[in-house]
Amino acid sequence: MSPAIPATRRSKALSSQLGLTERIFSSRDDRAMAATIEDGLALVEEGLLRELEFADNIADVTSRYLLSAGGKRVRPMLTLLTAQLGDGNVPAVLAAAQVVEITHLASLYHDDVMDEAEQRRGVPSAQAVWGNSVAILTGDLLFARASKLVASLGERAIILQADTFERLVLGQLNETAGPQEGDDPIEHYIEVLANKTGSLIAAAAQMGVVFSNAAEEYENAVMLFGERIGVAFQLVDDVIDLSPRADDTGKVAGTDLRAGVPTLPLLYLRRSALTDPQAAGLLARLEAGIASDESPEFESAIAELREHPVTATTLAEAQRWADDAVAALAPLPDGSVKKALTRFAEAMVERSR
Ligand code: FPP
Ligand code: MG
């Protein structure tokens, strides 16, 4: 089966992803924590490779394909971070970190089939290489493996994982079906984001607290943090979508809009268009462009949307979600973990600049 598995391309060192190299993280405790997380992440990486082995040459290649293609490992990193509020990198925490990453990977195989995405993590998507059936089955295989691993953590973890799975699927389903009669399109969209992205990030943070035996009072705080940061992340993506990418994803400006995804700038524009003729004009050009795909007018309409106040409002909304995420951390003790989570939330919004 080709292509061969690419060498693992995990991006930047975790400490710099978290902004832990900055001056505000220069204390000995902060540096020690960053090193512990890096160590934990290396163990999680080894575990992931071990878990994605099926004694079947075909399955090994397809299931390790997206793992090896890169990824930021944001979810396992959060599990490890919140686990530092308790016993740290204990075996149950390492297993939980693998569960969340494998679940995330499984969802990406399925999502790329649904989105007909050509690329993922800078490589051709799995279904572009092997076709829809192999991509769907690989996602199923990964989900089966995540289920087996989570079973080793006991009933609480199984229920948590099942609830998260349900929310992931509901998010995708409601996104696909769109808002129903009487639904507010913007509220519907935010709920979709909370389900399809917030839920797994919340579970990642929660598992770190639960499986490190940290104080129970931290659980709800980190769950809220994860959920809100997930929504902030997606809203920042909506803004980034309007710019041509400098990274290796091969995405052009307006990729989501071209694919018919109603991102928040477009939803705000639709609302403005009810009372503002200029917004209505831009909306008409965008919708014509979406229907006919490529055209120079569409390019300029996307550039105009990028500069339109609705995009600044989207960014402000992302900032509000990130601020609310940080506010949820109030019950946590002051220290390296809280500092790192706060910095993480700030870095999330800064991606758009
Ligand atoms: C990416 O969204 C998609 C998700 C975050 C969730 C996908 C969930 C499922 C397919 C259901 C769960 C399935 C399993 C097997 C666990 P996006 O398309 O907005 O983001 P992208 O730009 O990364 O594609
Ligand atoms: Mg997608």
mmCIF file of all heavy atoms in Angstrom, residues 169-211:
data_model
loop_
_atom_site.group_PDB
_atom_site.id
_atom_site.type_symbol
_atom_site.label_atom_id
_atom_site.label_comp_id
_atom_site.label_asym_id
_atom_site.label_seq_id
_atom_site.Cartn_x
_atom_site.Cartn_y
_atom_site.Cartn_z
ATOM 1 N N VAL A 169 -20.569 13.689 16.998
ATOM 2 C CA VAL A 169 -21.443 13.285 15.891
ATOM 3 C C VAL A 169 -22.624 14.257 15.758
ATOM 4 O O VAL A 169 -22.982 14.663 14.645
ATOM 5 C CB VAL A 169 -21.927 11.829 16.088
ATOM 6 C CG1 VAL A 169 -22.935 11.453 15.011
ATOM 7 C CG2 VAL A 169 -20.743 10.867 16.049
ATOM 8 N N LEU A 170 -23.196 14.667 16.896
ATOM 9 C CA LEU A 170 -24.308 15.632 16.830
ATOM 10 C C LEU A 170 -23.855 16.939 16.193
ATOM 11 O O LEU A 170 -24.596 17.556 15.415
ATOM 12 C CB LEU A 170 -24.871 15.897 18.233
ATOM 13 C CG LEU A 170 -25.784 14.801 18.783
ATOM 14 C CD1 LEU A 170 -26.164 15.111 20.221
ATOM 15 C CD2 LEU A 170 -27.044 14.655 17.928
ATOM 16 N N GLY A 171 -22.643 17.362 16.528
ATOM 17 C CA GLY A 171 -22.097 18.591 15.932
ATOM 18 C C GLY A 171 -22.028 18.471 14.413
ATOM 19 O O GLY A 171 -22.483 19.354 13.676
ATOM 20 N N GLN A 172 -21.473 17.349 13.958
ATOM 21 C CA GLN A 172 -21.344 17.142 12.501
ATOM 22 C C GLN A 172 -22.723 17.042 11.843
ATOM 23 O O GLN A 172 -22.953 17.575 10.760
ATOM 24 C CB GLN A 172 -20.581 15.849 12.214
ATOM 25 C CG GLN A 172 -19.110 15.901 12.465
ATOM 26 C CD GLN A 172 -18.342 16.734 11.451
ATOM 27 O OE1 GLN A 172 -17.995 17.868 11.744
ATOM 28 N NE2 GLN A 172 -18.066 16.197 10.285
ATOM 29 N N LEU A 173 -23.624 16.339 12.533
ATOM 30 C CA LEU A 173 -24.965 16.125 11.980
ATOM 31 C C LEU A 173 -25.712 17.455 11.854
ATOM 32 O O LEU A 173 -26.308 17.763 10.812
ATOM 33 C CB LEU A 173 -25.726 15.169 12.908
ATOM 34 C CG LEU A 173 -27.063 14.632 12.418
ATOM 35 C CD1 LEU A 173 -26.886 13.825 11.138
ATOM 36 C CD2 LEU A 173 -27.713 13.755 13.492
ATOM 37 N N ASN A 174 -25.659 18.253 12.913
ATOM 38 C CA ASN A 174 -26.366 19.537 12.874
ATOM 39 C C ASN A 174 -25.722 20.514 11.903
ATOM 40 O O ASN A 174 -26.407 21.332 11.294
ATOM 41 C CB ASN A 174 -26.459 20.149 14.278
ATOM 42 C CG ASN A 174 -27.472 19.397 15.121
ATOM 43 O OD1 ASN A 174 -28.516 19.009 14.632
ATOM 44 N ND2 ASN A 174 -27.152 19.154 16.374
ATOM 45 N N GLU A 175 -24.408 20.413 11.761
ATOM 46 C CA GLU A 175 -23.744 21.254 10.758
ATOM 47 C C GLU A 175 -24.227 20.860 9.368
ATOM 48 O O GLU A 175 -24.537 21.703 8.529
ATOM 49 C CB GLU A 175 -22.230 21.091 10.853
ATOM 50 C CG GLU A 175 -21.489 21.889 9.797
ATOM 51 C CD GLU A 175 -19.975 21.814 9.962
ATOM 52 O OE1 GLU A 175 -19.409 20.702 9.833
ATOM 53 O OE2 GLU A 175 -19.371 22.845 10.221
ATOM 54 N N THR A 176 -24.302 19.559 9.136
ATOM 55 C CA THR A 176 -24.714 19.053 7.827
ATOM 56 C C THR A 176 -26.174 19.427 7.536
ATOM 57 O O THR A 176 -26.497 19.865 6.429
ATOM 58 C CB THR A 176 -24.562 17.512 7.790
ATOM 59 O OG1 THR A 176 -23.229 17.190 8.199
ATOM 60 C CG2 THR A 176 -24.809 16.948 6.407
ATOM 61 N N ALA A 177 -27.039 19.277 8.544
ATOM 62 C CA ALA A 177 -28.463 19.551 8.330
ATOM 63 C C ALA A 177 -28.746 21.045 8.267
ATOM 64 O O ALA A 177 -29.703 21.482 7.627
ATOM 65 C CB ALA A 177 -29.281 18.918 9.453
ATOM 66 N N GLY A 178 -27.903 21.868 8.940
ATOM 67 C CA GLY A 178 -28.115 23.318 8.971
ATOM 68 C C GLY A 178 -29.205 23.693 9.956
ATOM 69 O O GLY A 178 -29.891 22.820 10.506
ATOM 70 N N PRO A 179 -29.366 25.010 10.196
ATOM 71 C CA PRO A 179 -30.384 25.432 11.162
ATOM 72 C C PRO A 179 -31.783 25.085 10.667
ATOM 73 O O PRO A 179 -32.049 25.146 9.465
ATOM 74 C CB PRO A 179 -30.194 26.954 11.249
ATOM 75 C CG PRO A 179 -29.363 27.332 10.083
ATOM 76 C CD PRO A 179 -28.626 26.117 9.603
ATOM 77 N N GLN A 180 -32.638 24.697 11.594
ATOM 78 C CA GLN A 180 -34.018 24.348 11.231
ATOM 79 C C GLN A 180 -34.903 25.557 11.460
ATOM 80 O O GLN A 180 -34.493 26.544 12.080
ATOM 81 C CB GLN A 180 -34.495 23.160 12.078
ATOM 82 C CG GLN A 180 -33.615 21.934 11.966
ATOM 83 C CD GLN A 180 -33.534 21.381 10.547
ATOM 84 O OE1 GLN A 180 -34.525 20.957 9.974
ATOM 85 N NE2 GLN A 180 -32.333 21.391 9.952
ATOM 86 N N GLU A 181 -36.123 25.458 10.951
ATOM 87 C CA GLU A 181 -37.101 26.541 11.106
ATOM 88 C C GLU A 181 -37.153 27.022 12.568
ATOM 89 O O GLU A 181 -37.280 26.205 13.484
ATOM 90 C CB GLU A 181 -38.475 25.979 10.694
ATOM 91 C CG GLU A 181 -39.559 26.985 10.753
ATOM 92 C CD GLU A 181 -40.188 27.212 9.375
ATOM 93 O OE1 GLU A 181 -39.895 26.439 8.434
ATOM 94 O OE2 GLU A 181 -40.962 28.171 9.267
ATOM 95 N N GLY A 182 -37.015 28.329 12.748
ATOM 96 C CA GLY A 182 -37.102 28.883 14.100
ATOM 97 C C GLY A 182 -35.746 28.973 14.794
ATOM 98 O O GLY A 182 -35.613 29.628 15.818
ATOM 99 N N ASP A 183 -34.720 28.294 14.270
ATOM 100 C CA ASP A 183 -33.378 28.381 14.877
ATOM 101 C C ASP A 183 -32.723 29.701 14.481
ATOM 102 O O ASP A 183 -32.841 30.121 13.321
ATOM 103 C CB ASP A 183 -32.459 27.254 14.346
ATOM 104 C CG ASP A 183 -32.794 25.908 14.955
ATOM 105 O OD1 ASP A 183 -33.553 25.870 15.938
ATOM 106 O OD2 ASP A 183 -32.283 24.896 14.422
ATOM 107 N N ASP A 184 -32.004 30.301 15.416
ATOM 108 C CA ASP A 184 -31.181 31.450 15.060
ATOM 109 C C ASP A 184 -29.899 30.905 14.426
ATOM 110 O O ASP A 184 -29.203 30.092 15.054
ATOM 111 C CB ASP A 184 -30.856 32.263 16.319
ATOM 112 C CG ASP A 184 -29.896 33.396 15.990
ATOM 113 O OD1 ASP A 184 -30.348 34.379 15.392
ATOM 114 O OD2 ASP A 184 -28.694 33.275 16.324
ATOM 115 N N PRO A 185 -29.563 31.304 13.190
ATOM 116 C CA PRO A 185 -28.415 30.688 12.502
ATOM 117 C C PRO A 185 -27.092 30.862 13.252
ATOM 118 O O PRO A 185 -26.245 29.971 13.222
ATOM 119 C CB PRO A 185 -28.352 31.398 11.150
ATOM 120 C CG PRO A 185 -29.620 32.157 11.005
ATOM 121 C CD PRO A 185 -30.239 32.317 12.356
ATOM 122 N N ILE A 186 -26.943 32.009 13.939
ATOM 123 C CA ILE A 186 -25.670 32.249 14.635
ATOM 124 C C ILE A 186 -25.579 31.372 15.890
ATOM 125 O O ILE A 186 -24.552 30.719 16.131
ATOM 126 C CB ILE A 186 -25.492 33.755 14.946
ATOM 127 C CG1 ILE A 186 -25.331 34.498 13.603
ATOM 128 C CG2 ILE A 186 -24.300 34.001 15.860
ATOM 129 C CD1 ILE A 186 -25.305 36.002 13.695
ATOM 130 N N GLU A 187 -26.663 31.298 16.640
ATOM 131 C CA GLU A 187 -26.666 30.421 17.828
ATOM 132 C C GLU A 187 -26.456 28.956 17.415
ATOM 133 O O GLU A 187 -25.745 28.205 18.077
ATOM 134 C CB GLU A 187 -27.999 30.530 18.563
ATOM 135 C CG GLU A 187 -28.056 31.690 19.524
ATOM 136 C CD GLU A 187 -29.444 31.874 20.109
ATOM 137 O OE1 GLU A 187 -30.186 30.882 20.243
ATOM 138 O OE2 GLU A 187 -29.787 33.037 20.408
ATOM 139 N N HIS A 188 -27.114 28.578 16.322
ATOM 140 C CA HIS A 188 -26.970 27.210 15.811
ATOM 141 C C HIS A 188 -25.506 26.927 15.479
ATOM 142 O O HIS A 188 -24.956 25.882 15.837
ATOM 143 C CB HIS A 188 -27.854 27.042 14.566
ATOM 144 C CG HIS A 188 -27.689 25.722 13.869
ATOM 145 N ND1 HIS A 188 -26.767 25.516 12.862
ATOM 146 C CD2 HIS A 188 -28.308 24.533 14.045
ATOM 147 C CE1 HIS A 188 -26.845 24.262 12.447
ATOM 148 N NE2 HIS A 188 -27.772 23.645 13.152
ATOM 149 N N TYR A 189 -24.875 27.878 14.828
ATOM 150 C CA TYR A 189 -23.482 27.703 14.411
ATOM 151 C C TYR A 189 -22.564 27.540 15.630
ATOM 152 O O TYR A 189 -21.714 26.650 15.664
ATOM 153 C CB TYR A 189 -23.056 28.919 13.573
ATOM 154 C CG TYR A 189 -21.655 28.829 13.033
ATOM 155 C CD1 TYR A 189 -21.299 27.832 12.115
ATOM 156 C CD2 TYR A 189 -20.665 29.727 13.438
ATOM 157 C CE1 TYR A 189 -20.002 27.750 11.616
ATOM 158 C CE2 TYR A 189 -19.371 29.649 12.942
ATOM 159 C CZ TYR A 189 -19.056 28.662 12.036
ATOM 160 O OH TYR A 189 -17.778 28.572 11.544
ATOM 161 N N ILE A 190 -22.755 28.393 16.641
ATOM 162 C CA ILE A 190 -21.902 28.318 17.842
ATOM 163 C C ILE A 190 -22.111 26.971 18.542
ATOM 164 O O ILE A 190 -21.152 26.349 19.014
ATOM 165 C CB ILE A 190 -22.203 29.494 18.813
ATOM 166 C CG1 ILE A 190 -21.910 30.853 18.142
ATOM 167 C CG2 ILE A 190 -21.450 29.339 20.135
ATOM 168 C CD1 ILE A 190 -20.449 31.190 17.930
ATOM 169 N N GLU A 191 -23.347 26.496 18.551
ATOM 170 C CA GLU A 191 -23.616 25.196 19.190
ATOM 171 C C GLU A 191 -22.924 24.067 18.421
ATOM 172 O O GLU A 191 -22.376 23.133 19.017
ATOM 173 C CB GLU A 191 -25.123 24.962 19.261
ATOM 174 C CG GLU A 191 -25.466 23.822 20.214
ATOM 175 C CD GLU A 191 -26.944 23.490 20.246
ATOM 176 O OE1 GLU A 191 -27.766 24.388 19.975
ATOM 177 O OE2 GLU A 191 -27.261 22.314 20.518
ATOM 178 N N VAL A 192 -22.930 24.179 17.106
ATOM 179 C CA VAL A 192 -22.225 23.188 16.290
ATOM 180 C C VAL A 192 -20.736 23.179 16.658
ATOM 181 O O VAL A 192 -20.133 22.121 16.867
ATOM 182 C CB VAL A 192 -22.415 23.483 14.771
ATOM 183 C CG1 VAL A 192 -21.369 22.767 13.926
ATOM 184 C CG2 VAL A 192 -23.822 23.082 14.325
ATOM 185 N N LEU A 193 -20.151 24.368 16.775
ATOM 186 C CA LEU A 193 -18.714 24.452 17.104
ATOM 187 C C LEU A 193 -18.435 23.876 18.500
ATOM 188 O O LEU A 193 -17.447 23.152 18.693
ATOM 189 C CB LEU A 193 -18.223 25.908 17.064
ATOM 190 C CG LEU A 193 -18.359 26.664 15.733
ATOM 191 C CD1 LEU A 193 -17.686 28.032 15.853
ATOM 192 C CD2 LEU A 193 -17.765 25.886 14.573
ATOM 193 N N ALA A 194 -19.313 24.194 19.444
ATOM 194 C CA ALA A 194 -19.116 23.674 20.809
ATOM 195 C C ALA A 194 -19.165 22.150 20.794
ATOM 196 O O ALA A 194 -18.377 21.482 21.467
ATOM 197 C CB ALA A 194 -20.183 24.242 21.741
ATOM 198 N N ASN A 195 -20.078 21.586 19.992
ATOM 199 C CA ASN A 195 -20.190 20.125 19.943
ATOM 200 C C ASN A 195 -19.051 19.485 19.157
ATOM 201 O O ASN A 195 -18.407 18.561 19.630
ATOM 202 C CB ASN A 195 -21.531 19.719 19.321
ATOM 203 C CG ASN A 195 -22.664 19.817 20.330
ATOM 204 O OD1 ASN A 195 -22.454 19.675 21.531
ATOM 205 N ND2 ASN A 195 -23.862 20.066 19.850
ATOM 206 N N LYS A 196 -18.792 19.984 17.964
ATOM 207 C CA LYS A 196 -17.840 19.241 17.112
ATOM 208 C C LYS A 196 -16.382 19.486 17.501
ATOM 209 O O LYS A 196 -15.521 18.666 17.206
ATOM 210 C CB LYS A 196 -18.083 19.510 15.628
ATOM 211 C CG LYS A 196 -17.577 20.824 15.116
ATOM 212 C CD LYS A 196 -17.662 20.871 13.589
ATOM 213 C CE LYS A 196 -16.924 22.092 13.087
ATOM 214 N NZ LYS A 196 -16.851 22.197 11.659
ATOM 215 N N THR A 197 -16.094 20.599 18.161
ATOM 216 C CA THR A 197 -14.708 20.874 18.543
ATOM 217 C C THR A 197 -14.550 21.034 20.054
ATOM 218 O O THR A 197 -13.646 20.460 20.655
ATOM 219 C CB THR A 197 -14.198 22.144 17.824
ATOM 220 O OG1 THR A 197 -14.365 21.956 16.424
ATOM 221 C CG2 THR A 197 -12.733 22.393 18.113
ATOM 222 N N GLY A 198 -15.441 21.817 20.662
ATOM 223 C CA GLY A 198 -15.312 22.075 22.104
ATOM 224 C C GLY A 198 -15.388 20.808 22.931
ATOM 225 O O GLY A 198 -14.660 20.663 23.924
ATOM 226 N N SER A 199 -16.253 19.883 22.533
ATOM 227 C CA SER A 199 -16.497 18.708 23.376
ATOM 228 C C SER A 199 -15.236 17.867 23.607
ATOM 229 O O SER A 199 -14.959 17.461 24.737
ATOM 230 C CB SER A 199 -17.601 17.833 22.755
ATOM 231 O OG SER A 199 -17.178 17.334 21.516
ATOM 232 N N LEU A 200 -14.466 17.626 22.568
ATOM 233 C CA LEU A 200 -13.288 16.759 22.728
ATOM 234 C C LEU A 200 -12.161 17.495 23.467
ATOM 235 O O LEU A 200 -11.420 16.884 24.247
ATOM 236 C CB LEU A 200 -12.814 16.235 21.363
ATOM 237 C CG LEU A 200 -11.698 15.193 21.385
ATOM 238 C CD1 LEU A 200 -12.059 13.983 22.237
ATOM 239 C CD2 LEU A 200 -11.331 14.745 19.966
ATOM 240 N N ILE A 201 -12.056 18.787 23.237
ATOM 241 C CA ILE A 201 -11.021 19.560 23.947
ATOM 242 C C ILE A 201 -11.388 19.629 25.438
ATOM 243 O O ILE A 201 -10.518 19.489 26.307
ATOM 244 C CB ILE A 201 -10.843 20.961 23.307
ATOM 245 C CG1 ILE A 201 -10.468 20.793 21.826
ATOM 246 C CG2 ILE A 201 -9.776 21.760 24.040
ATOM 247 C CD1 ILE A 201 -10.181 22.077 21.079
ATOM 248 N N ALA A 202 -12.684 19.794 25.715
ATOM 249 C CA ALA A 202 -13.140 19.790 27.113
ATOM 250 C C ALA A 202 -12.839 18.436 27.760
ATOM 251 O O ALA A 202 -12.349 18.365 28.896
ATOM 252 C CB ALA A 202 -14.637 20.081 27.174
ATOM 253 N N ALA A 203 -13.118 17.351 27.033
ATOM 254 C CA ALA A 203 -12.873 16.008 27.580
ATOM 255 C C ALA A 203 -11.376 15.790 27.814
ATOM 256 O O ALA A 203 -10.977 15.161 28.806
ATOM 257 C CB ALA A 203 -13.419 14.948 26.624
ATOM 258 N N ALA A 204 -10.556 16.313 26.901
ATOM 259 C CA ALA A 204 -9.099 16.166 27.052
ATOM 260 C C ALA A 204 -8.644 16.813 28.361
ATOM 261 O O ALA A 204 -7.879 16.222 29.137
ATOM 262 C CB ALA A 204 -8.382 16.814 25.863
ATOM 263 N N ALA A 205 -9.138 18.022 28.609
ATOM 264 C CA ALA A 205 -8.741 18.740 29.826
ATOM 265 C C ALA A 205 -9.305 18.041 31.070
ATOM 266 O O ALA A 205 -8.614 17.888 32.080
ATOM 267 C CB ALA A 205 -9.229 20.186 29.741
ATOM 268 N N GLN A 206 -10.543 17.574 30.965
ATOM 269 C CA GLN A 206 -11.193 16.905 32.104
ATOM 270 C C GLN A 206 -10.446 15.622 32.468
ATOM 271 O O GLN A 206 -10.218 15.321 33.646
ATOM 272 C CB GLN A 206 -12.649 16.581 31.729
ATOM 273 C CG GLN A 206 -13.446 15.971 32.860
ATOM 274 C CD GLN A 206 -14.849 15.535 32.423
ATOM 275 O OE1 GLN A 206 -15.188 15.617 31.234
ATOM 276 N NE2 GLN A 206 -15.656 15.101 33.365
ATOM 277 N N MET A 207 -10.070 14.847 31.453
ATOM 278 C CA MET A 207 -9.402 13.567 31.726
ATOM 279 C C MET A 207 -8.092 13.765 32.485
ATOM 280 O O MET A 207 -7.723 12.940 33.323
ATOM 281 C CB MET A 207 -9.163 12.805 30.423
ATOM 282 C CG MET A 207 -10.420 12.175 29.866
ATOM 283 S SD MET A 207 -9.975 11.012 28.560
ATOM 284 C CE MET A 207 -11.573 10.474 27.994
ATOM 285 N N GLY A 208 -7.391 14.856 32.173
ATOM 286 C CA GLY A 208 -6.137 15.135 32.883
ATOM 287 C C GLY A 208 -6.376 15.273 34.380
ATOM 288 O O GLY A 208 -5.613 14.745 35.199
ATOM 289 N N VAL A 209 -7.448 15.977 34.744
ATOM 290 C CA VAL A 209 -7.772 16.167 36.160
ATOM 291 C C VAL A 209 -8.223 14.838 36.780
ATOM 292 O O VAL A 209 -7.724 14.410 37.826
ATOM 293 C CB VAL A 209 -8.883 17.248 36.326
ATOM 294 C CG1 VAL A 209 -9.460 17.225 37.732
ATOM 295 C CG2 VAL A 209 -8.319 18.628 36.015
ATOM 296 N N VAL A 210 -9.143 14.156 36.080
ATOM 297 C CA VAL A 210 -9.725 12.927 36.642
ATOM 298 C C VAL A 210 -8.651 11.851 36.851
ATOM 299 O O VAL A 210 -8.572 11.245 37.926
ATOM 300 C CB VAL A 210 -10.853 12.399 35.721
ATOM 301 C CG1 VAL A 210 -11.333 11.025 36.170
ATOM 302 C CG2 VAL A 210 -12.027 13.386 35.698
ATOM 303 N N PHE A 211 -7.816 11.621 35.852
ATOM 304 C CA PHE A 211 -6.890 10.477 35.925
ATOM 305 C C PHE A 211 -5.568 10.790 36.622
ATOM 306 O O PHE A 211 -4.730 9.914 36.783
ATOM 307 C CB PHE A 211 -6.699 9.857 34.540
ATOM 308 C CG PHE A 211 -8.001 9.297 34.043
ATOM 309 C CD1 PHE A 211 -8.672 9.886 32.986
ATOM 310 C CD2 PHE A 211 -8.588 8.226 34.687
ATOM 311 C CE1 PHE A 211 -9.907 9.409 32.568
ATOM 312 C CE2 PHE A 211 -9.820 7.739 34.289
ATOM 313 C CZ PHE A 211 -10.482 8.333 33.231
#
